């Protein structure tokens, strides 16, 4: 799923620039420079958030059927990654055209804004990703039928309108909800359905758990960029409802997954092993505390990266608990 590009496009997501030494293989200066440019535009460090729901959906399928169709899992991963990269590229060039990158952004400007790539190059690459994702989606629909076709079309439409179109989703208060919906509910449930051709209350609840911290990543980004976003007319939830609301929203998104674990135990065959994700609770509490105490600004860049890392840790622990259960 594609919509954590708002977070992924900033300098502080990893605390270092994509052009830092050691991030890319040795190559000729021209080739290395071009590779860095595409890495900045595509933001590979955001891709784990697209992978996590697929892994959780497959873990749920394995727990309930003791079978895993590896081919469909790999195609699901490929489709999710193509949508993510395509949206990152589209966001890079769309923000350039809208002037967002010149509005006092607190993170690193995008590849198009830096002049590393031309708008036409980035737009063409984004379109290519969406075309390939469509081909993958149609293949998955052959397996899953109309439910997967509808889910895939919805995901593709949201990906292409997140930053583009006359009223991008990222310029509205609905970005947080859309991230939870597609990084959680649609991605986990769709992956599970492709494996089992069924759905269950347990997988819907597991999808909710995964989507909540994914949405928290976007909350950090929008909280940090509240003033610059307001200046360019981005009406994010943080802009509309203010910093106090965003602090409570972040707390809820980070801690609610732990409160829902008993419900997941009741809805599935997984038992005591669902205590395993509690290992990530101290990490979540530490991040919430830091969110509340830090002054909005560049200090939120490492917080954003750590929130994304928490989502990975929680998703992997959840997968482990489900498989062990």
């Amino acid at each position: 799923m594609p919509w954590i590009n708002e977070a992924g496009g900033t300098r502080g997501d990893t605390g270092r620039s994509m052009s830092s030494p050691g991030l890319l293989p040795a190559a000729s200066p021209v080739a290395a420079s071009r590779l860095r440019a595409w890495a900045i535009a595509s933001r590979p460090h955001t891709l784990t958030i697209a992978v996590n729901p697929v892994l959780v959906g497959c873990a749920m399928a394995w727990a309930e059927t003791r079978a895993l169709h590896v081919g469909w899992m790999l195609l699901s991963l490929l489709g999710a990654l193509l949508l993510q990269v395509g949206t990152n590229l589209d966001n890079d060039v769309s923000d350039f055209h809208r002037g967002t990158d010149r509005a006092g952004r607190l993170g690193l400007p995008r590849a198009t804004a830096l002049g590393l790539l031309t708008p036409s190059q980035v737009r063409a690459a984004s379109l290519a990703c969406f075309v390939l994702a469509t081909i993958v989606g149609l293949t998955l629909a052959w397996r899953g039928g109309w439910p997967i076709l509808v889910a895939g079309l919805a995901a593709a439409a949201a990906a292409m309108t997140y930053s583009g179109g006359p009223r991008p989703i990222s310029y509205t208060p609905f970005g947080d909800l859309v991230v939870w919906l597609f990084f959680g509910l649609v991605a986990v449930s769709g992956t599970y359905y492709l494996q089992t051709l069924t759905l269950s209350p347990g997988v819907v609840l597991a999808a909710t758990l995964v989507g909540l911290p994914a949405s928290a990543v976007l909350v950090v980004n929008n909280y940090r960029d509240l003033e610059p976003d307001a200046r360019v007319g981005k009406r994010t939830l943080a802009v509309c409802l203010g910093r106090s609301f965003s602090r409570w929203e972040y707390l809820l998104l980070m801690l609610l997954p732990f409160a829902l674990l008993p419900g997941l135990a009741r809805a599935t065959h997984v038992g005591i092993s669902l205590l395993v994700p509690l290992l990530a609770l101290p990490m979540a509490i530490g991040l919430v505390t830091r969110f509340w105490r830090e002054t909005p600004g560049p200090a939120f860049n490492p917080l954003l990266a750590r929130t994304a890392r928490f989502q990975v840790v929680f998703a992997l622990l959840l997968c482990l608990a489900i498989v062990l259960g």
Side-chain angles (χ1 to χ4, degrees):
M1 237 312 293
W3 297 287
I4 302 296
N5 49 33
E6 288 296 306
T10 62
R11 162 69 172 82
D13 294 352
T14 59
R16 55 186 178 180
S17 167
M18 289 303 297
S19 60
S20 299
L23 289 181
L24 298 171
S28 69
V30 173
S33 177
R34 181 54 59 91
L35 185 57
R36 289 190 185 97
W38 284 111
I40 291 171
S42 60
R43 308 165 206 171
H45 51 285
T46 69
L47 300 184
T48 55
I49 296 181
V51 171
N52 293 333
V54 175
L55 297 180
V56 172
C58 288
M60 286 291 296
W62 167 262
E64 297 193 9
T65 67
R66 287 297 185 262
L68 184 65
H69 301 284
V70 176
W72 297 118
M73 180 186 73
L74 294 177
L75 278 177
S76 299
L77 285 170
L78 179 60
L81 291 172
L82 285 168
L83 283 177
Q84 175 79 48
V85 173
T87 307
N88 287 348
L89 293 168
D90 183 64
N91 183 251
D92 190 289
V93 69
S94 293
D95 275 2
F96 170 75
H97 284 308
R98 293 176 184 275
T100 305
D101 291 328
R102 298 186 296 273
R105 286 183 60 86
L106 298 173
L108 184 69
R110 311 294 170 79
T112 312
L114 287 169
L116 302 176
L117 298 168
T118 67
S120 60
Q121 286 176 316
V122 179
R123 187 73 74 188
S126 174
L127 179 61
C129 286
F130 289 140
V131 169
L132 291 172
T134 300
I135 295 171
V136 173
L138 291 173
T139 305
L140 294 174
W142 180 80
R143 157 72 174 175
W146 69 265
I148 296 301
L149 180 62
V150 171
L153 289 173
M160 288 184 284
T161 59
Y162 186 79
S163 300
R167 188 165 175 78
I169 295 171
S170 64
Y171 279 64
T172 73
F174 304 114
D176 303 23
L177 175 64
V178 168
V179 167
W180 168 79
L181 179 64
F182 286 97
F183 276 101
L185 193 63
V186 172
V188 176
S189 300
T191 300
Y192 177 89
Y193 188 85
L194 282 166
Q195 292 288 325
T196 67
L197 299 181
T198 62
L199 283 178
S200 69
V203 75
V204 173
L205 190 53
T208 297
L209 268 64
V210 175
L212 291 173
S215 188
V217 178
L218 186 59
V219 172
V220 179
N221 181 85
N222 291 344
Y223 184 89
R224 182 202 60 202
D225 291 343
L226 190 153
E227 285 82 10
D229 284 349
R231 285 197 292 271
V232 297
K234 292 185 72 171
R235 303 294 295 170
T236 64
L237 203 57
V239 171
C240 292
L241 299 181
R243 295 199 182 277
S244 179
F245 172 86
S246 293
R247 285 193 291 270
W248 285 105
E249 181 189 13
Y250 183 78
L251 181 148
L252 181 67
L253 293 172
M254 293 292 283
L255 299 184
L256 185 57
F258 299 101
L260 294 176
L261 286 172
L264 183 60
R266 288 192 294 270
T268 65
H269 301 299
V270 183
I272 194 70
S273 65
L274 277 174
L275 292 174
V276 171
L278 291 176
L279 293 172
L281 182 57
M283 185 179 182
I285 293 173
L287 290 170
V288 170
T289 301
R290 186 169 178 180
F291 188 100
W292 279 59
R293 291 179 178 175
E294 288 282 4
T295 301
F300 269 64
N301 288 334
L303 178 61
L304 189 151
R306 292 186 179 110
T307 302
R309 194 176 304 132
F310 163 78
Q311 203 256 2
V312 175
V313 171
F314 181 82
L316 292 178
L317 289 174
L318 183 61
C319 286
L320 179 62
I322 291 169
V323 171
L324 291 177

